[in-house]
Amino acid sequence: MPSIGSLQYCDLSAQTQFPMSNKTYKALRRVALAALLVSPAHSADLDAAVNYVEPKVIAWRRDIHQHPELSNRETRTAKLVAEHLRRLGLEVETGIAHTGVVGLLKTGQPGPTIALRADMDALPVTERTDLPFKSTVTSSYRGEQVGVMHACGHDSHTAVLMGVAEILARMKGELRGNVLFVFQPAEEGAPPGEKGGASLMLKEGLFARYKPEVAFAWHAWSSLNTGTIGYRSGPLMAGSQGWKAIVNGKQTHGSRPWQGVDPIVIAAQIINGLQTVVSRQVDITRNPAVVSVGAIKGGVRNNIIPDSVEMIGTIRTFEDAEYQQVTQAMRRMVQNTAAASGSTADFTLDAYRNPVTFNDAALTARMLPSLRKAAGEENVKEVPLITGAEDFAYFAQAVPGFYFTVGVTPRGTDVTTAASNHSPLFYLDETALPLAIRAFTQVAIDYLASGS
């Protein structure tokens, strides 16, 4: 994986072959790039443009990775993005859904408006990689001090879209229509008690103002090797729903449990019971479903049985009937297990429910040639359903959407054993980024060229 330093050296080494002033060298390089970009139909021209922005994209990605920000707190990242878009001459709007940024590229020629989206937020994860630019940032989440890490690749999404914006801005005279660059906060979900993400951007009128007719996005994906693009028509990623259960007990001394009601034991029974909701009560031959417990909290001392235990978790489903079945079964399991032990339990679903990420069938078919052009036909693969969730789904409900994945696990590494997205060991192979830039740019160019 080449370093920023080596990339800069390679770029500047050309100057040493033809001595000239630095000012002249930069001017000629701008002219050369402009000449390369006059015909977007030629892949060699796009390759040259990708090569030009690649060092910048890697530098931006490393900077953002080293300075991660949690959902609805992406102020530094938003400032970096906004300043770049303004330098490109785009119309820039900030403060959307708290920290969101959008830039509008107008070509001045009739044609459709399309939206290209990247997410900016990081996760409450303590990084355990040995990267020289690893995150050491800490913050507060749900009342606890946590590490903060770009463990899902959003740093690369932001950096790549910044690079795509630069390429398309330089190609402005050869394009038609408009491009809306959407830098979204809080894709991982707003903090408890807050609103955010794609749904809030839409509620604040983002698409009503700019009226894109389609929306595109991509995701860095650890389950694919570098050089590979994954896609799926129709449902791609699951709908997600957060849930909470509070088991109500009766506090007593740990040496005399019979004098109280132990919510910790009841919570353990509930957790075991919840595993049977999907395995025994849902027809998983239709679609997969997942019920997970993400956190459990109760008690403060080793010799005190507490009054209550709180559990939180996530549900993943692909159709509404399945969702209703799962949530009803969970409610029964939580409440009746508690009742069987002489207790009560409260089961609630988060107000925020992420819909299924759905790729419009016609748009998917239309854009597949673009992906194959970018990666080679043999490197574009249909993938199975993904139980991860994405709030790009809201954008894809508002207009036809197309969402694809780009492999970021190094070639030769077994993807089944590689650290997954959201892992503290998640590793993004930076040699995958040129393909992400090329594919995202190619999709935009081809759609604008073919018109509505």
Side-chain angles (χ1 to χ4, degrees):
M1 182 170 58
S3 69
I4 294 294
S6 66
L7 286 166
Q8 290 175 336
Y9 174 78
C10 291
D11 187 34
L12 294 175
S13 63
Q15 184 179 356
T16 63
Q17 299 174 26
F18 305 98
M20 63 185 74
S21 72
N22 192 50
K23 182 177 180 181
T24 302
Y25 168 67
K26 289 181 178 179
L28 287 176
R29 191 170 67 171
R30 284 195 298 270
V31 171
L33 181 65
L36 285 168
L37 292 176
V38 295
S39 179
H42 297 294
S43 61
D45 298 345
L46 181 54
D47 288 343
V50 171
N51 291 338
Y52 176 79
V53 300
E54 180 186 355
K56 296 183 180 184
V57 169
I58 293 176
W60 288 323
R61 183 257 163 169
R62 293 184 177 189
D63 177 66
I64 296 168
H65 187 91
Q66 203 163 20
H67 301 91
E69 297 168 303
L70 293 175
S71 301
N72 281 355
R73 309 289 186 269
E74 308 92 340
T75 54
R76 182 185 184 276
T77 307
K79 182 180 178 182
L80 175 71
V81 168
E83 289 176 349
H84 175 65
L85 298 182
R86 290 189 182 104
R87 282 194 295 269
L88 295 177
L90 274 59
E91 296 180 8
V92 177
E93 185 179 355
T94 62
I96 307 170
H98 305 300
T99 55
V101 179
V102 299
L104 182 65
L105 173 65
K106 293 181 176 180
T107 68
Q109 299 298 320
T113 296
I114 65 172
L116 306 181
R117 175 273 207 168
D119 36 16
M120 302 188 293
D121 54 329
L123 288 158
V125 173
T126 301
E127 184 162 5
R128 288 166 46 199
T129 71
D130 58 0
L131 295 171
F133 51 92
K134 68 180 290 186
S135 168
T136 58
V137 172
T138 61
S139 187
S140 177
Y141 185 75
R142 298 189 75 240
E144 296 185 22
Q145 197 70 9
V146 295
V148 183
M149 176 191 176
H150 272 291
C152 200
H154 296 187
D155 51 346
S156 68
H157 303 169
T158 299
V160 164
L161 190 54
M162 291 170 70
V164 172
E166 181 156 343
I167 292 174
L168 294 180
R170 289 174 176 273
M171 295 176 64
K172 176 180 175 180
E174 307 302 320
L175 301 175
R176 304 177 64 83
N178 309 305
V179 183
L180 181 67
F181 301 96
V182 180
F183 292 85
Q184 178 204 315
E187 189 283 323
E188 299 290 355
E194 299 182 21
K195 296 180 180 180
S199 60
L200 186 57
M201 296 186 94
L202 291 173
K203 287 178 182 176
E204 292 183 357
L206 176 64
F207 278 14
R209 290 194 299 278
Y210 293 100
K211 297 180 173 54
E213 67 178 41
V214 292
F216 300 106
W218 72 280
H219 204 297
W221 207 242
S222 66
S223 297
L224 294 173
N225 289 115
T226 295
T228 305
I229 290 178
Y231 78 96
R232 186 180 182 86
S233 183
L236 171 66
M237 301 182 80
S240 69
Q241 172 74 67
W243 62 270
K244 179 168 72 173
I246 297 178
V247 182
N248 306 301
K250 181 181 177 182
Q251 186 166 314
T252 185
H253 198 287
S255 66
R256 294 186 292 277
W258 56 86
Q259 292 184 339
V261 178
D262 191 340
I264 292 178
V265 171
I266 298 169
Q269 294 169 341
I270 289 172
I271 291 171
N272 285 333
L274 288 175
Q275 306 314 303
T276 68
V277 169
V278 171
S279 67
R280 291 297 179 269
Q281 301 183 52
V282 176
D283 181 0
I284 56 173
T285 63
R286 290 173 54 84
N287 281 307
V290 175
V291 173
S292 290
V293 180
I296 178 168
K297 187 174 182 179
V300 293
R301 268 186 71 94
N302 66 344
N303 63 347
I304 299 176
I305 291 173
D307 263 335
S308 65
V309 167
E310 178 192 69
M311 295 181 288
I312 59 173
T314 187
I315 303 164
R316 305 299 168 102
T317 54
F318 284 90
E319 58 181 27
D320 192 64
E322 184 182 56
Y323 167 79
Q324 297 298 334
Q325 183 183 11
V326 168
T327 54
Q328 290 168 14
M330 290 180 69
R331 189 181 302 277
R332 288 195 306 269
M333 185 66 67
V334 170
Q335 294 177 343
N336 293 342
T337 302
S341 298
S343 175
T344 62
D346 306 311
F347 178 79
T348 56
L349 298 169
D350 290 354
Y352 179 86
R353 179 186 172 192
N354 218 46
V356 174
T357 302
F358 190 90
N359 277 338
D360 180 84
L363 183 60
T364 302
R366 178 174 173 178
M367 303 323 301
L368 270 178
S370 300
L371 297 185
R372 290 168 177 152
K373 193 186 304 182
E377 186 167 357
E378 69 282 3
N379 296 316
V380 179
K381 305 179 184 298
E382 185 175 11
V383 296
L385 290 170
I386 298 169
T387 50
E390 242 289 356
D391 80 348
F392 176 77
Y394 283 102
F395 293 137
Q397 283 185 332
V399 298
F402 180 55
Y403 186 94
F404 59 95
T405 59
V406 177
V408 296
T409 293
R411 292 181 177 90
T413 301
D414 183 353
V415 295
T416 64
T417 61
S420 64
N421 294 67
H422 288 214
S423 165
L425 295 172
F426 173 72
Y427 174 77
L428 186 146
D429 179 10
E430 289 181 339
T431 66
L433 297 184
L435 175 57
I437 302 167
R438 185 181 301 107
F440 214 13
T441 307
Q442 192 74 63
V443 163
I445 291 172
D446 290 349
Y447 191 92
L448 294 173
S450 60
S452 301

